[in-house]
Each structure stands twice: as structure tokens, then as C-alpha cells.
Amino acid sequence: MALYGLAVCGGKSLRMGTDKSQLQYFGITQADRVINLLSPLCDEVFISCNRTQSSIFENKKTLADLPEFEDIGPMAALLSAFKTYPNADFLIAGCDYPFLTADALSDFLSAIQKGTIAAAFYNSEEKYEPLLAWYAQDAAPLLLERFERGHHSLQHFLREINAEKYIPVSEKVMLSVDSPEAYDQVKAALNVHHEN
């Protein structure tokens, strides 16, 4: 069974005001960092992006949102991936989690039970993190059926199927940065941390 990684970079980044996949916390873009985190765990890794971003990621394996799924949010990444590679499971990670670690992803993968359709990181607000998740190929027809009914929320999908919940050792790995203020705060925190 192939496991493909998807570095999800296709958001509009409206609150941030700049493409989140190109932000840097560790001297490389977040897109490259997520590829580095996924690569040891997956057979292949792709950058999921919208069509206007494709030029940013020259020389990288990209999976642009297919036209029929454009502008529906993160579900577009997953539906496009399954349509392009129907025989693979997908481990996906968004580009806006600066504290995500290889250990957290590895622990998550090893915790997934056999026969599961989907599993995702789960936070203290009792919400799934749909972009820190694993989706089996068996999820593809279920997602497509919801898409055809106009239901585009991955959060609702994960709830409806009672997806497996993964609670990481540190909730910090699920911190999503999507505003300039949050970016500045995380950068400052990381710099302090590196100097110690």
C-alpha cells in the first residue's frame, strides 16, 4: 500500500497577507520544512497548491487543485490527490504548523489502528486538525459523495465518520500560525529558544 505525503500549501493566506508556505522559521520555507518532515515517512511527497501557486514551486513535485475542486477549501487538496493517485493513502500536513516535529508525525502514524478510514490530530477544544491527518484510500468515495452534496468541511467529515483521534504529547505541535502577529510572536519565541 503506497503512502504519499501531501504538504498542503494551497490556502489563500488572507489573514496572513502573504503566502504562508513561503514563511521561514528555521532558515527554510515552511513548504520545504513540511516536505522534509513527511519524506522519511512516505513513499513520495507532493506539494498541494492552487493553480496560481504552481510557479512558486518549480522543480518540486506538485499536485495542483483540479479545476472541478477549486475554491472549496482544504477538501480540494484531498479530492485532487485521490483522483490523481487513487491507490494511495495520504498523510497530510499543512504549512502553518511551525512546531510540528518528525517525532509527532511518526508517533501519529504508528498509532493508527488497522481498518481505520481516517485519523487526525485532536486538540483540547475537541476539534480535529484536518490538515494534520491521515486519510486511507477508502475515504475517497466518502469525501466525493459529500463534495457532490455541497459539504466541503473536512472537520465535519472527520466527525461524521468518527475518525480516530490522536492526542500528541505536546499540543504545541498543533499551533497554527495564520496572522502576521502570530508569526512575529513565534519567530521571537524561536529566536529566544535558539539563543539559550
Side-chain angles (χ1 to χ4, degrees), residues 3 25 46 48 50 64 71 81 83 90 93 97 100 106 112 120 133-134 138 140 160 168 171-172 181:
L3 176 63
Y25 299 93
F46 301 90
S48 165
N50 57 51
D71 297 322
K83 187 158 185 184
F90 281 92
Y97 300 99
L100 184 62
S106 179
I112 296 168
W134 170 88
D138 293 345
E160 282 170 22
E171 200 159 285
K172 199 176 185 182
E181 299 75 30

Side-chain angles (χ1 to χ4, degrees), residues 85-100:
Y85 297 102
N87 298 318
D89 296 339
F90 281 92
L91 175 63
I92 74 173
C95 64
D96 41 3
Y97 300 99
F99 296 106
L100 184 62

Side-chain angles (χ1 to χ4, degrees), residues 23 25 28 55 88 95 125 142 155 157 159 183 192 195:
L23 296 177
Y25 299 93
I28 60 170
S55 58
C95 64
E125 292 164 24
L142 304 176
Q155 180 72 237
F157 169 72
R159 284 182 184 282
Y183 174 63
V192 169
E195 284 164 19

Side-chain angles (χ1 to χ4, degrees), residues 25-26 30 33 95-100 173 175-177 186 190:
Y25 299 93
F26 302 96
Q30 272 299 101
R33 184 164 182 272
C95 64
D96 41 3
Y97 300 99
F99 296 106
L100 184 62
V173 299
L175 178 78
S176 171
V177 173
V186 170
L190 286 168

Side-chain angles (χ1 to χ4, degrees), residues 6 31 60 89 110 134:
L6 210 54
K60 294 202 172 27
D89 296 339
S110 59
W134 170 88

